[in-house]
Amino acid sequence: MLNFLLRRLGFGLIVLLLVTFFAFILVYLTGDPAVTLAGMDASPADVERIRAAYGLDQPLFVQYLQFLGNALQGDLGTSFRTKAPVGPLVLERLFITLQLVLVSMVISLGVGIPLGVLAATSRSRVLKSLVTGFSVLTVSTPAFWAGLILILVFADQLRLLPASGRGGPESFILPAITLSLYTVGLIIRLVRRSLSDELGSQYVLTGAAKGLARPRIVLRHALRNALIPTVTVVGLQLGYVVGGSIVVESIFAWPGIGSLMINSINTTDMPVVRAIVLVAGAAFVIINLLVDLSYAWLDPKVKIE
Amino acid sequence: MRKRVVAVLAAALIGLTACSGGGDSGGGQPAEGSRSISIGTPVDLDSFDPNVVPTGVGNMLKQQVIETLMTPDRQPLLAESWERLDDDQTWEFTLREGVKFTNGDDFNAETAKWSIERIMDENSENSSLASSFRNAVESVTAVDDHTLQIKTKGVIPDFLDIMPESYMLTPAVDELANFGQEVIGTGAYQLDSWSQDEKLTLVANESYWGDAPYFDEVVVRPIPESSVRATELRSGGVDVILGVAPQDFSVIDGGDTKLVDQLSVQSLRIHMNAGVAPFDDVRVRQAMNYGMDRETILATVLEGRGELMSQPAGPTIFGFNPDIDPYPYDPAKAAELLAEAGYSPENPAKVELQLQQDRFPGVQAVADAMVAQLNEVGFEVTATMNSSATFLSNFNTVGNGFMVISQEDNVTDLMPSNFSSLEDSYKRYNYANPEVDALIAAAQSEPDDAKREGIYQELNQLLHDDAPWVFMWNPMDAYGINTAVTGFAPDGVGFFYFRDLAGA
């Protein structure tokens, strides 16, 4: 167990090293940061002065090592844009995004699991096709389109919900639904497939033969087992949901890590971009690890070595 | 099952709002009896510090809190009057008395001197602001408490061009933990709270030297997506929006909301690299101007919202020459000029055009139409869309044509850095014409306003003929407001004072 953990953490570190290195190079591909920082009116001399002031005149390799050294000491640098320390800024925005992600996960599970169960157990073919159709629709609807349509309907026409911004509980509804669309569809399919498999298995037949009520068999026994793969996928999906929040946040003017990322790229605020990549990379690594561990915990047959 | 899901969801939502700190409602609920207005903008402010490069709305937002010696339209603000002394090099400003900063500091000639020297600080990151002051200001003297003298480097008749950006601060800003995120000013509003990319709240400055503003509170919300901004306006989430996209015009005009138009001082133009073929030949540059039907492109893509440019200066800029007509669309003439310059269908004039995506709505459609028309007359145009960062760093290094939409609201900003080969500037794109250099130098040292205007008009004519740019158009800025809002009159750079706004 300990061996496994150490090995996975070691791999995680390598992944993070690679991810931050690529983030470093990719930022340069979008243009010379000194030129962007200096602005359109700057003379070549101004550009050189800014390059030196931000340490951008150092070789890329040196800059990267400096970044790594500081990051190891917990210092992610200072934002070019706001002159504020990057670490607290990124964590604050990450927290705002996680609130949204959490609500969207609650919606995904709350809608996805019951519908998945319905699709797996219902005897009505119409109902089954309706649910399947719904899951295909939600999986394949692009978030930016769905978001705008939801805004048009609920904010513009019905005036029920705010169109954008972060405020009271009502302000979570539209962005969280938009963010949950893909995962809802995914969960419906997963639950439907794995529950159907479970329902065909020996222990379900045994239960039925013993005279257990059908709802009890489905919910207490089969669903529990069917949820194991769902948990795995949902956990892995969590990282992608954070990524998807970039689109959703810019539509709904949600001040989370996604909008911070976009604004930082647009203003060539490299310390912030790097920190977000580092934090997001670390989150992926940790989530993956937790998913692996939870799998073993949910299913005693799985042994971790 | 369903019921329980709803209950869980509701509980989760309530729990989350509790941890998010409650109070920050998106709409910004005002306290009872107070008047609040909210404004939706495409981007947020980065910093209140004038020495940081501003975002698109940066200068406008900053100047609600930090005041300048004169307003953008050259009206008295913290300076009550000014005059040029007899040596033509010294400007004397009489400063307003009884003005206090929000921390209680007095505004006087010493703080004004300190502020101007701060703008010129060698560590300023706002190089365009810093260099415009550094190039012009020789020394600043506080003559007495309310008299400030600025000596210019030589005779600079257009010196006042830079004064609308003379941000007046108190030395106490240096003691703030993070000046830029915090601010001290003399303006009608002061900073109440700011959560970046979410909401900036300004409240009326109770010790303001002028009339108290109508609104006690102004909430500025960055809403990047233009259609969402329009929806926020229509549904009453905000009262004013900046930057309305063409597809939302019809939605906004009607009911409780209306569209406000203002011809922008911005100009859309293509800088051509005059240092390399084919643009080293004036005939090719003219052919670019004759070869595209800008009027039709403007009418179809942007619903005619803009005015065709005839010269570098826009109609509101000093030295604008009203006698110059825009280049007409004349494909035959364009083809002829190209032939004269030695280009033919077998040997077309190759243009590599760099464009910036999202710079204005419809940029792709404009580019497509342009490319098609230019290819008709014998050019071979390839157009590349860039992100804003790539766009800037590609300047002068990639391609030979560069479509820019830029904002120069006075002749000092406009002429030297764009056209004088004596300047060390990226914008010039290797353009060098001794005649132009001479005219710019002559104008810059001519103290007589009428004569100077004449020289600038001559310069505009010369630049029209020599065509270092493809002159496209001055666009129309579109704003949306709630019909209950009065006093909203932005100028050509999108500037307006929140203190001028009122409610019906």
Side-chain angles (χ1 to χ4, degrees), chain B residues 413-483:
Chain B
D413 276 354
L414 178 65
M415 291 301 179
S417 66
N418 279 304
F419 304 111
S420 169
S421 66
L422 311 171
E423 289 267 328
D424 182 17
S425 164
Y426 276 111
K427 283 161 110 182
R428 199 164 50 76
Y429 226 6
N430 297 321
Y431 179 68
N433 180 341
E435 254 184 288
V436 169
D437 293 346
L439 279 177
I440 292 176
Q444 284 183 327
S445 56
E446 174 57 65
D448 184 88
D449 288 348
K451 282 188 193 155
R452 193 165 75 256
E453 184 167 27
I455 303 175
Y456 279 132
Q457 288 180 339
E458 194 186 329
L459 179 60
N460 274 310
Q461 178 71 57
L462 179 58
L463 288 168
H464 166 91
D465 299 339
D466 206 33
W469 292 353
V470 179
F471 301 103
M472 308 280 286
W473 52 74
N474 300 110
M476 197 77 88
D477 285 338
Y479 304 85
I481 64 170
N482 191 300
T483 47

Side-chain angles (χ1 to χ4, degrees), chain B residues 270-276 279 352-354 394-404 417-419 425-432 468-469:
Chain B
I270 297 169
H271 295 222
M272 293 173 276
N273 190 345
V276 293
F279 293 137
E352 288 170 45
L353 200 54
Q354 299 293 317
N394 279 355
F395 206 37
N396 264 337
T397 54
V398 178
N400 55 10
F402 203 70
M403 188 156 91
V404 172
S417 66
N418 279 304
F419 304 111
S425 164
Y426 276 111
K427 283 161 110 182
R428 199 164 50 76
Y429 226 6
N430 297 321
Y431 179 68
W469 292 353

Side-chain angles (χ1 to χ4, degrees), chain A residues 30 54 81 103 156 164, chain B residues 16 46 125 221 232 234 390:
Chain A
T30 66
Y54 284 113
R81 188 175 165 220
V103 177
D156 197 29
S164 69
Chain B
L16 277 167
D46 277 357
E125 285 168 21
R221 284 182 50 204
E232 282 283 15
R234 273 166 48 83
T390 349

